[in-house]
């Protein structure tokens, strides 16, 4: 089955979640140190032009290293997921261009900007780009289809996962504004379980049809109540809201624990009934 990915689809830039990229790219921060030392020496000698050039070269290298680091993080998230959009911005490629152009300019500066050295400096820059591409690789440009089967398209799955991830990230941002340790821990458990559901959908995209309503009620309700509490917890009425917030979290956690198992068991009837119960309670609490 041929799967066509629509380029116009909205792409979600993920917040990085526990992706280990270690010291990858740290060397890129160390390589320009000689240009920094040279810039300092030029400044001490009072050589303004050399200071500006070498200082600018150092800054450009640092920008390139930071952009590359962002690309490594996004690729780590892309590789972790079974179904994922390719990064919309090719950070690693942009970093490679910045570093290679800066290297070419550095080589030309060393030759006192001699016109006859332009070609050789450009060649050095090109070799730098090639070396970066061979060592670090460039950005993935194709969406990962995973185990997509007949009955569901990659666009449907990616759009649903993107929407869910945006809501989970919003819950995480609101959670960080809540100083209550209990609520913080519970919201962390909730978002962790939500991501487990997304992982289950990636494992078997046919589960999307059963999980769609559940994710909407669960994530919409949790996002609204969390953001609402985060906005008001510093006000005088926060104490009165605390009991309601705790009660809503009780319902969300309990219902989610029950439905995660039923979702995997393909129990449509029980799942819909429990979702209706949760939706009714969230409306009663003024969340939906």
């Amino acid at each position: 089955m041929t799967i066509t990915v629509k380029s116009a689809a909205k792409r979600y830039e993920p917040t990085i979640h526990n992706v280990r990229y270690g010291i990858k790219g740290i060397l890129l921060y160390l390589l320009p140190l000689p240009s920094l030392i040279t810039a300092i020496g030029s400044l001490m000698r009072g050589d303004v032009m050399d200071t500006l050039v070498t200082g600018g070269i150092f800054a450009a290298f640092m920008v390139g290293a930071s952009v590359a680091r962002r690309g490594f993080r996004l690729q780590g998230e892309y590789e972790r997921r079974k179904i994922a959009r390719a990064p919309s911005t090719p950070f690693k490629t942009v970093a490679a261009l910045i570093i290679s152009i800066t290297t070419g300019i550095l080589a030309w500066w060393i030759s006192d900007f001699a016109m006859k050295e332009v070609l050789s400096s450009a060649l050095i820059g090109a070799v730098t780009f090639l070396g970066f591409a061979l060592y670090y690789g460039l950005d993935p440009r194709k969406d990962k289809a995973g185990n997509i089967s007949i009955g569901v398209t990659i666009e449907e799955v990616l759009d649903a996962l993107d929407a869910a991830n945006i809501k989970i990230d919003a819950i995480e941002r609101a959670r960080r504004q809540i100083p209550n340790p209990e609520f913080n821990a519970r919201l962390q458990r909730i978002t962790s379980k939500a991501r487990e559901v997304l992982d289950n959908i990636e494992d078997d995209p046919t589960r999307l049809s059963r999980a769609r309503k559940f994710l909407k009620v669960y994530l919409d309700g949790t996002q609204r109540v969390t953001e609402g509490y985060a906005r008001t917890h510093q006000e005088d009425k926060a104490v009165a809201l605390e009991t309601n917030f705790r009660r809503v979290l009780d319902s969300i956690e309990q219902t989610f624990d029950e439905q995660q198992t039923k979702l995997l068991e393909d129990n449509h009837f029980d799942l819909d009934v429990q979702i209706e119960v949760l939706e009714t309670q969230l409306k009663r609490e003024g969340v939906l």
Side-chain angles (χ1 to χ4, degrees):
M1 178 182 177
T2 303
I3 299 171
T4 303
V5 180
K6 299 177 183 178
S7 59
K10 181 181 178 181
R11 292 181 176 271
Y12 163 71
E13 291 292 358
T15 300
I16 309 305
H17 302 286
N18 297 323
V19 176
R20 294 182 178 275
Y21 57 96
I23 61 173
K24 188 174 185 180
I26 292 297
L27 182 62
L28 296 176
Y29 289 101
L30 301 179
L31 287 176
L33 288 180
S35 61
L36 175 62
I37 295 173
T38 302
I40 294 174
S42 299
L43 180 62
M44 294 178 66
R45 293 194 305 272
D47 192 331
V48 177
M49 180 57 67
D50 279 0
T51 300
L52 291 175
V53 172
T54 52
I57 287 172
F58 173 76
F61 273 126
M62 296 301 287
V63 169
S66 297
V67 172
R69 193 84 161 146
R70 173 65 177 170
F72 299 149
R73 295 183 181 186
L74 285 176
Q75 184 167 2
E77 180 72 8
Y78 172 86
E79 292 174 351
R80 182 188 70 82
R81 297 178 58 183
K82 298 179 180 66
I83 300 175
R85 295 191 191 277
S88 59
T89 303
F91 286 99
K92 292 169 64 179
T93 303
V94 171
L97 287 172
I98 293 174
I99 292 172
S100 60
I101 291 173
T102 304
T103 302
I105 293 174
L106 176 61
W108 193 28
W109 173 75
I110 291 174
S111 67
D112 291 327
F113 296 114
M115 294 304 299
K116 64 179 181 179
E117 299 297 333
V118 171
L119 183 59
S120 61
S121 298
L123 182 60
I124 291 173
V127 170
T128 301
F129 183 92
L130 179 61
F132 183 102
L134 291 175
Y135 188 75
Y136 292 113
L138 299 180
D139 306 88
R141 302 310 301 156
K142 292 183 179 180
D143 296 338
K144 291 174 66 175
N147 187 29
I148 299 291
S149 59
I150 296 175
V152 62
T153 66
I154 186 174
E155 281 302 313
E156 288 180 281
V157 178
L158 285 173
D159 287 346
L161 294 177
D162 285 355
N165 273 307
I166 289 171
K167 293 172 186 176
I168 294 172
D169 287 347
I171 295 169
E172 283 291 328
R173 287 193 297 272
R175 177 188 65 79
R176 288 192 286 269
Q177 299 174 28
I178 300 174
N180 187 305
E182 175 197 347
F183 293 161
N184 238 282
R186 296 183 67 175
L187 286 168
Q188 278 187 312
R189 289 198 301 269
I190 286 172
T191 53
S192 177
K193 291 172 184 176
R195 295 194 191 282
E196 288 178 10
V197 169
L198 300 190
D199 289 339
N200 289 332
I201 294 173
E202 290 184 17
D203 290 336
D204 183 2
T206 59
R207 292 171 179 157
L208 176 62
S209 61
R210 305 196 303 275
R212 197 186 301 273
K213 184 178 180 183
F214 179 50
L215 285 176
K216 177 174 175 55
V217 174
Y218 170 72
L219 292 179
D220 280 357
T222 306
Q223 179 183 352
R224 292 183 190 182
V225 73
T226 305
E227 289 178 336
Y229 184 79
R231 285 193 301 269
T232 58
H233 78 276
Q234 294 180 337
E235 300 176 7
D236 293 338
K237 60 181 180 179
V239 175
L241 290 174
E242 188 171 297
T243 301
N244 289 340
F245 188 54
R246 182 178 286 106
R247 184 165 58 247
V248 170
L249 290 182
D250 285 340
S251 298
I252 291 176
E253 273 200 281
Q254 181 180 355
T255 303
F256 185 81
D257 285 336
E258 294 173 354
Q259 297 320 301
Q260 190 173 18
T261 301
K262 291 177 181 178
L263 175 65
L264 297 178
E265 291 175 350
D266 194 17
N267 193 331
H268 293 265
F269 179 74
D270 287 347
L271 181 60
D272 286 341
V273 169
Q274 292 296 328
I275 289 174
E276 294 296 340
V277 172
L278 175 59
E279 189 170 19
T280 300
Q281 178 166 0
L282 291 176
K283 287 179 179 179
R284 186 170 62 249
E285 297 289 348
V287 178
L288 294 180

